[in-house]
Amino acid sequence: MEKSFVIKGNICQTKNPKELDLHENSYAVCIDGLSKGIFAALPEEYSSLPLYDYGDALIFPGMVDLHVHAPQYAFRGMCMDLELMDWLNRYTFPEEEKYENLEYAQKAYGMCVDALKSGATTRACIFATRHRGATELLMKLMEESGLISFVGKVNMDREASEALTEDSADISAYTTFGWINAVKDKFERTFPILTPRFIPCCTDKLMEELREIQMAYGIPVQSHLSESKGEIEFVKFLRPDDPFYGDSYNDYDLFGKNDDIDTDVKTVMAHCVWSTEEEVELMRKNGVFVAHCPASNMNLTSGIAPIRKYLDLGLNIGLGSDIAGGHSDSIFRAITDAIQVSKMYFRMVDEDVKPLVFSEAFYLATKGGGAFFGNVGSFEEGYEFDALILDDSVLPHPQKLNLAERMERAVYLGLDTKKIAAKFAAGRKVI
Amino acid sequence: MEKSFVIKGNICQTKNPKELDLHENSYAVCIDGLSKGIFAALPEEYSSLPLYDYGDALIFPGMVDLHVHAPQYAFRGMCMDLELMDWLNRYTFPEEEKYENLEYAQKAYGMCVDALKSGATTRACIFATRHRGATELLMKLMEESGLISFVGKVNMDREASEALTEDSADISAYTTFGWINAVKDKFERTFPILTPRFIPCCTDKLMEELREIQMAYGIPVQSHLSESKGEIEFVKFLRPDDPFYGDSYNDYDLFGKNDDIDTDVKTVMAHCVWSTEEEVELMRKNGVFVAHCPASNMNLTSGIAPIRKYLDLGLNIGLGSDIAGGHSDSIFRAITDAIQVSKMYFRMVDEDVKPLVFSEAFYLATKGGGAFFGNVGSFEEGYEFDALILDDSVLPHPQKLNLAERMERAVYLGLDTKKIAAKFAAGRKVI
C-alpha cells in the first residue's frame, strides 16, 4: 500500500489537446500506483490514506520524453554548427565509441540519469549505444532512478566509424538476443526496446534479423525517420526501390501495426520532419508514434515537422528532447519549442497550418507521448500516477495570477530546471 | 582607483563575428573602468593592482540587451497564443496601465531590475511606460543596480487603451520635456532615450514634437520597426504616402544619421523582421541599429528577421530579449535563439541565406549591440570593462572539454540562469 496516497494542490492537466483541465486546491488520489481521479473534496472512502498537502503548489502529470540519447548527454550544447550527417560523424560517433569502456559509461550515464531524475521527466524512450555492457549499466541506473523507461541497445552494422560499427549483422543480432534475454525480466520499471539506429546504419540483413527478434520477443521498436534532407537522400540511395523512407522499416514489420500479417509492433519514430503524404498515411494506419523534437530540428537545421497536420490526421504524437541534437533535457522546454516552431511553420511556410496552442503542446508532452506507455500522462481514473509538484513561488510576479497563467508561466520560464519539489512515477516517489 | 584591477581566468570573446577569441588562464586588466587588453602573463606595470583570480572560471564580456520592456516583465511567459496587435490590446496595455500607480511600479520594477542585475546583462535599452513618475523610479532602480542603461518614457497618443493613451501630443511632449530635464544629469549610469512606442501609437503631431525634443537634447531614440505583418499594414493605412515603415521615423529625423540636415541620431529599432530592401538600405546608410529579438518573433508569430543578410550588408545589429514578447531575459538564450531561427530561415525560406554560427551570434550579443553604448562588448584595449565570471563546473560532463566547447556549452545550457559568479559594468562590480 506504499503506493496509495492522496496529494493536494493546484492540479493542471490536459485531458484533450483543446483545453486545459484545471483544479484549484484539489485532491488527486493514487491507489496502488493508479489514479482514481481528481476531487474538489476528498471522498470519504479515501480519508484514511496518507495525505500530502502541497499547499499552493502546482501539480502536473509527469513529462514523457519519447526520444533521448543518453550517451549524447555528455556533449549537449556543443558542436551545434553542423547538420545531421556531419554532426554524427564528427561528434556523435566518436563520443559514443567511449561507451565500450564501462568506467566511462558509469560516469557519463550517471550524470545523464541524475539529470533526468531531477528534472520533469517521468518516462523516457532512450537510445544507449551499440554496447551491450554499457546498455545494461544504463538500464540498472535508470531502474535505480525510479523513472520508467524503455532503453535500447543500438543496432548499427554499417556507415558509422569503425569502432562503432558492429562487425556483422549476425553479431549485432546475436548481441541483441543476449541483451534482451538478460534484461527482459530483470527490472520493474526499465524495459528493452529494439533500436535499429536508422536505415543508413542498418544493412538489410540486420533489419531481417531484427524482424525475427521482434517477433520472438514482441518488444517495441524505436528509430529515426525523415529527419533531414541529406539523410533522406542517403536512404533513397541505399534503398532505391522503397517509395518512402518509412517503407524501409515497414518492409521488416518494424513500423507499427500491420493487419496483413496480424502484428502490432509498438513503434516510435523520431522527427518525421519531411515525411511524405504516403509515409504519414502509413504511420497513421499503423499507429506509429511520432517523437517530435523541435529543438533538435532547429539545432541540426533539419526543418520543422508539421505537427498540426499530424494532429489533425489523428497520428500518435509525443515530444522528445533528443539530447544532444536537442541541447536541453527539459520537456517543458520542448513544449515551448514545439509551439514556437509551429508558429514559424505557419508564418514562413504555410499559413493554412495553424500554430499549436499551449494546451496542445502540453498534451503532447503528457498524454500524447504517454500513450506509448499505456494510460499515462493524466490524473484521469485508471491512469498510472505520474506527478510533478512545482513550487512556482520562486518565479516572482507583482500581480495576481490565475491558475492557467501560472501553468503556462511555469512551463515557459522553465520551472523544471530550477526545482521540482516532488515527483512520482506510477505512484512511486522519485524525488 | 577602485575601478582599476586585474582579473584572471579563461577569457572568451569575439573581436569579430567570424571567430572566437580565446585566452586560457589569462589576465584582463581594467584601469579606471577601461580595458587595457588581455595578457597571457601580467605585465610588470600592472603587478601592483588588485588581482582577482577566478581560477578555472570562464570570463565573458557582459551581455547587451538592446530591447527590453521593463513593465512587461510581470507577465513574461504568459498569454503566448496571440499575435502582436491582439497581444498588445489584450495583455500588454492593461498591464502597462498599472504603472500609473507608483506602489505597483516599485514592486514590479524591483523584480525586473533584480532579474537583470542577477543575470548576464550589463547594458540595456529599456522601454518603461508612458508614465513619467514610474519611469523615473525605474531609472533610479537601474542606477542602483549598477547596470548601465538607456531608459525611455514611452510616447503614445493614439491607438491604445484609454488609460494608456496620453491626452494629446502636446501633453506627451510636455511630459517628455519635464522628464528629460529631470533625469538627464541625475545619474551616472542611467540615461534617457526618446521612445515613441511605434508609429501606430504616435500621431504625426507627436512625432513632430519628438523631433524638436531630440534636436534640443541630442538624446538617442528607440522604437519598433517592421515587426509583424498586421502592424505593417496598419502603418501603411495610417501613413499611406510613406514608401516604407522606416520612412515614417525618418520623416521626423528620428532614424539615425541624416547627412542632408547634418544630424546623427543614435537610433535602435527593434525587430526589422519584414524590412523591405529600401528600408534596409536606409538603415544601413543611417547607421540605425537593429535589435534582433528572435524569441519574441517566434512567440508572437511575427516571422524571422534575416539577420545574415543584415550582417553581410554591414548593418549595426545587437540582440534583445524583448521581454515580454520574449519570455526570457537571458541574452545567452537570445544567442541560441538567434542561431536557431537563422537555421529555420535557411532551411524553410531561403537556402542562399546561411545560418548564423555561434561566434556570430555571440558577437551580436556583445560587440554588436555594445556599439550602441560606445566601445563596449570586448576586452580589447580602450573598451569599457564589462565582464561576467561564470563557474561552469556546475554543468557536469564526463570528458575533457576545450575552451571553445566550454564557451558554447555555457551559452546553450543557460549558465547565466543558474549563477553568475561575479559581474562588472564599466569596471564597477555589480555582483
Side-chain angles (χ1 to χ4, degrees):
Chain A
M1 288 297 282
E2 63 168 7
K3 294 202 289 187
S4 297
F5 55 87
V6 179
I7 60 177
K8 184 170 184 234
N10 297 298
I11 304 169
C12 306
Q13 64 175 8
T14 45
K15 290 194 286 190
N16 64 66
K18 290 296 166 203
E19 58 193 354
L20 305 179
D21 181 47
L22 304 173
H23 302 263
E24 287 191 31
N25 286 316
S26 295
Y27 301 85
V29 176
C30 176
I31 301 291
D32 204 23
L34 294 180
S35 180
K36 300 302 277 185
I38 299 169
F39 305 92
L42 189 64
E44 181 57 31
E45 62 187 301
Y46 305 126
S47 59
S48 62
L49 292 174
L51 169 68
Y52 304 108
D53 187 342
Y54 290 110
D56 196 37
L58 302 175
I59 300 177
F60 289 5
M63 296 290 127
V64 179
D65 188 344
L66 274 193
H67 187 66
V68 50
H69 292 263
Q72 297 176 18
Y73 182 76
F75 68 98
R76 70 205 182 285
M78 297 188 292
C79 332
M80 301 264 69
D81 287 337
L82 291 175
E83 290 192 35
L84 176 66
M85 303 306 279
D86 291 331
W87 176 81
L88 285 173
N89 288 312
R90 296 237 326 246
Y91 295 108
T92 309
F93 292 159
E95 178 63 26
E96 289 196 11
E97 288 171 11
K98 298 179 188 169
Y99 289 76
E100 179 75 35
N101 177 335
L102 283 178
E103 204 177 323
Y104 186 80
Q106 173 80 39
K107 188 168 155 193
Y109 278 151
M111 290 172 180
C112 176
V113 173
D114 283 351
L116 291 175
K117 178 173 174 165
S118 65
T121 297
T122 49
R123 312 253 169 174
C125 287
I126 304 176
F127 279 58
T129 62
R130 75 162 181 84
H131 310 95
R132 177 177 161 181
T135 303
E136 290 184 28
L137 175 62
L138 174 60
M139 294 180 85
K140 177 174 155 283
L141 294 171
M142 282 302 296
E143 180 74 6
E144 289 165 3
S145 77
L147 305 181
I148 297 167
S149 62
F150 290 106
V151 176
K153 180 209 112 49
V154 174
N155 297 99
M156 46 196 303
D157 69 338
R158 68 175 172 190
E159 297 294 343
S161 60
E162 197 182 326
L164 206 59
T165 306
E166 294 174 290
D167 291 334
S168 70
D170 285 343
I171 286 175
S172 179
Y174 176 80
T175 313
T176 303
F177 265 120
W179 163 64
I180 295 175
N181 279 325
V183 298
K184 70 185 168 59
D185 301 316
K186 189 169 177 183
F187 303 114
E188 263 182 73
R189 294 173 286 280
T190 314
F191 312 102
I193 183 167
L194 211 57
T195 306
R197 184 169 202 123
F198 65 160
I199 294 295
C201 282
C202 300
T203 60
D204 295 355
K205 182 157 193 295
L206 175 56
M207 292 299 284
E208 191 61 60
E209 303 208 44
L210 294 180
R211 181 218 308 260
E212 299 300 319
I213 295 175
Q214 199 289 323
M215 287 178 71
Y217 293 98
I219 64 174
V221 171
Q222 63 181 351
S223 195
H224 299 89
L225 181 64
S226 297
E227 176 176 3
S228 86
K229 289 182 164 183
E231 169 210 20
I232 293 166
E233 274 171 35
F234 192 36
V235 170
K236 195 82 208 157
F237 168 78
L238 292 167
R239 294 180 58 92
D241 296 336
D242 289 346
F244 51 90
Y245 187 166
D247 191 63
S248 309
Y249 297 106
N250 197 50
D251 275 354
Y252 301 100
D253 303 323
L254 300 174
F255 204 63
K257 188 179 174 63
N258 186 338
D259 287 335
D260 299 341
I261 55 165
D262 196 28
T263 60
D264 189 358
V265 184
K266 192 182 279 185
T267 304
V268 56
M269 288 283 157
H271 307 304
C272 308
V273 172
W274 299 104
S275 294
T276 61
E277 268 184 44
E278 273 179 295
E279 183 165 283
V280 173
E281 173 52 24
L282 187 62
M283 284 193 282
R284 190 200 60 74
K285 183 166 156 278
N286 290 12
V288 171
F289 279 73
V290 175
H292 177 42
C293 307
S296 169
N297 298 159
M298 287 193 278
N299 288 334
L300 299 178
T301 323
S302 301
I304 302 173
I307 295 301
R308 158 69 58 219
K309 290 188 195 174
Y310 301 166
L311 255 183
D312 290 350
L313 288 168
L315 265 64
N316 289 316
I317 315 167
L319 299 182
S321 67
D322 194 23
I323 289 288
H327 56 278
S328 166
D329 57 284
S330 160
I331 298 298
F332 282 16
R333 172 72 183 257
I335 291 173
T336 62
D337 286 339
I339 296 169
Q340 289 184 325
V341 300
S342 77
K343 288 172 173 173
M344 291 304 91
Y345 192 91
F346 167 76
R347 181 58 73 218
M348 308 306 285
V349 182
D350 184 350
E351 295 206 346
D352 287 332
V353 182
K354 294 277 173 266
L356 299 182
V357 296
F358 178 71
S359 62
E360 291 171 325
F362 192 90
Y363 177 89
L364 296 182
T366 52
K367 270 183 89 169
F372 194 76
F373 290 83
N375 285 329
V376 167
S378 161
F379 296 105
E380 289 159 85
E381 189 172 1
Y383 274 68
E384 297 187 45
F385 197 93
D386 291 7
L388 306 175
I389 316 298
L390 298 155
D391 173 12
D392 63 342
S393 69
V394 302
L395 304 171
H397 61 97
Q399 79 282 47
K400 246 183 101 63
L401 300 178
N402 64 37
L403 190 49
E405 291 167 335
R406 290 173 62 188
M407 179 185 184
E408 186 179 2
R409 194 175 83 113
V411 172
Y412 269 93
L413 303 187
L415 182 53
D416 59 331
T417 66
K418 298 192 194 303
K419 188 169 167 52
I420 308 282
K423 180 159 92 169
F424 299 85
R428 185 172 187 276
K429 198 160 188 301
V430 175
I431 48 178
Chain B
M1 286 297 279
E2 62 168 8
K3 294 202 289 185
S4 298
F5 55 88
V6 179
I7 60 177
K8 183 170 185 234
N10 297 296
I11 304 168
C12 306
Q13 64 175 6
T14 45
K15 289 193 287 190
N16 65 64
K18 290 295 166 204
E19 57 193 354
L20 305 180
D21 182 47
L22 305 173
H23 303 261
E24 287 189 33
N25 286 316
S26 294
Y27 301 84
V29 177
C30 175
I31 300 291
D32 204 21
L34 294 179
S35 181
K36 300 303 278 185
I38 299 170
F39 304 92
L42 188 63
E44 179 58 30
E45 61 187 301
Y46 305 126
S47 60
S48 63
L49 292 174
L51 169 68
Y52 304 108
D53 187 342
Y54 290 111
D56 195 38
L58 302 175
I59 300 177
F60 288 6
M63 296 290 127
V64 179
D65 188 343
L66 272 194
H67 187 65
V68 52
H69 292 264
Q72 297 176 17
Y73 182 76
F75 69 98
R76 69 205 183 284
M78 296 188 292
C79 334
M80 300 263 68
D81 288 336
L82 291 175
E83 290 192 35
L84 176 66
M85 302 307 277
D86 291 332
W87 176 81
L88 285 173
N89 288 313
R90 296 235 329 245
Y91 295 107
T92 309
F93 292 159
E95 178 63 26
E96 290 195 10
E97 288 171 12
K98 299 178 188 169
Y99 290 76
E100 179 74 35
N101 178 335
L102 283 178
E103 204 176 321
Y104 187 81
Q106 173 79 40
K107 188 169 155 194
Y109 279 151
M111 290 173 179
C112 176
V113 173
D114 283 351
L116 291 175
K117 178 172 174 165
S118 64
T121 297
T122 50
R123 311 253 169 174
C125 287
I126 303 177
F127 278 57
T129 62
R130 77 161 180 86
H131 310 95
R132 176 179 161 180
T135 303
E136 290 185 27
L137 175 61
L138 174 60
M139 294 181 85
K140 178 175 153 283
L141 294 171
M142 281 303 296
E143 181 74 6
E144 289 165 2
S145 77
L147 304 181
I148 297 166
S149 62
F150 290 107
V151 176
K153 179 209 115 46
V154 174
N155 297 99
M156 48 197 302
D157 69 339
R158 68 173 171 191
E159 295 295 342
S161 60
E162 198 184 324
L164 207 60
T165 306
E166 294 173 291
D167 290 333
S168 69
D170 286 342
I171 287 176
S172 180
Y174 177 80
T175 312
T176 303
F177 266 120
W179 163 65
I180 295 174
N181 279 325
V183 299
K184 70 184 168 58
D185 302 315
K186 188 169 178 183
F187 304 114
E188 263 182 73
R189 295 173 284 281
T190 314
F191 312 101
I193 182 167
L194 211 56
T195 307
R197 184 168 204 125
F198 64 161
I199 295 295
C201 282
C202 300
T203 61
D204 295 356
K205 181 155 193 294
L206 175 56
M207 292 298 285
E208 192 59 62
E209 302 208 42
L210 294 181
R211 181 218 310 257
E212 299 300 320
I213 295 175
Q214 200 289 322
M215 287 178 70
Y217 293 98
I219 65 174
V221 171
Q222 62 182 352
S223 195
H224 299 90
L225 181 63
S226 298
E227 176 177 4
S228 86
K229 289 182 164 184
E231 169 211 19
I232 293 166
E233 274 170 37
F234 193 36
V235 171
K236 195 82 208 158
F237 167 78
L238 292 167
R239 295 180 56 93
D241 297 333
D242 288 346
F244 51 89
Y245 188 166
D247 190 63
S248 308
Y249 297 105
N250 198 49
D251 274 354
Y252 301 99
D253 303 323
L254 300 173
F255 204 64
K257 187 178 173 66
N258 186 337
D259 286 337
D260 298 342
I261 56 165
D262 196 28
T263 60
D264 188 357
V265 184
K266 191 183 279 187
T267 303
V268 57
M269 288 284 157
H271 306 305
C272 307
V273 172
W274 299 104
S275 294
T276 61
E277 267 184 44
E278 272 180 295
E279 184 165 282
V280 173
E281 173 52 23
L282 188 61
M283 284 192 284
R284 190 199 59 73
K285 182 164 155 280
N286 290 12
V288 171
F289 279 74
V290 176
H292 176 42
C293 308
S296 170
N297 298 160
M298 288 194 277
N299 287 333
L300 299 178
T301 324
S302 301
I304 303 173
I307 295 302
R308 157 68 59 218
K309 290 187 195 173
Y310 301 165
L311 255 183
D312 290 351
L313 288 166
L315 265 64
N316 289 316
I317 315 167
L319 299 181
S321 67
D322 194 22
I323 288 285
H327 56 278
S328 167
D329 57 284
S330 160
I331 297 298
F332 282 16
R333 172 72 183 258
I335 292 172
T336 62
D337 287 339
I339 296 168
Q340 288 184 325
V341 301
S342 77
K343 288 172 174 173
M344 291 303 92
Y345 192 91
F346 166 76
R347 180 59 72 219
M348 307 305 285
V349 181
D350 184 351
E351 296 206 344
D352 287 332
V353 183
K354 295 277 174 265
L356 299 181
V357 296
F358 178 71
S359 62
E360 291 171 324
F362 192 90
Y363 177 89
L364 297 182
T366 52
K367 271 182 89 170
F372 194 75
F373 290 82
N375 285 330
V376 167
S378 160
F379 296 105
E380 290 160 86
E381 188 170 1
Y383 274 65
E384 297 187 46
F385 197 93
D386 292 6
L388 306 176
I389 316 298
L390 298 155
D391 172 13
D392 64 342
S393 70
V394 301
L395 303 171
H397 61 96
Q399 79 280 46
K400 246 183 101 67
L401 299 177
N402 64 38
L403 191 49
E405 290 167 335
R406 290 174 62 188
M407 178 185 185
E408 185 179 5
R409 194 174 83 115
V411 173
Y412 268 95
L413 303 187
L415 182 53
D416 58 332
T417 67
K418 299 190 195 304
K419 190 170 167 53
I420 307 282
K423 180 159 93 170
F424 300 84
R428 186 172 186 275
K429 198 159 188 301
V430 176
I431 49 178

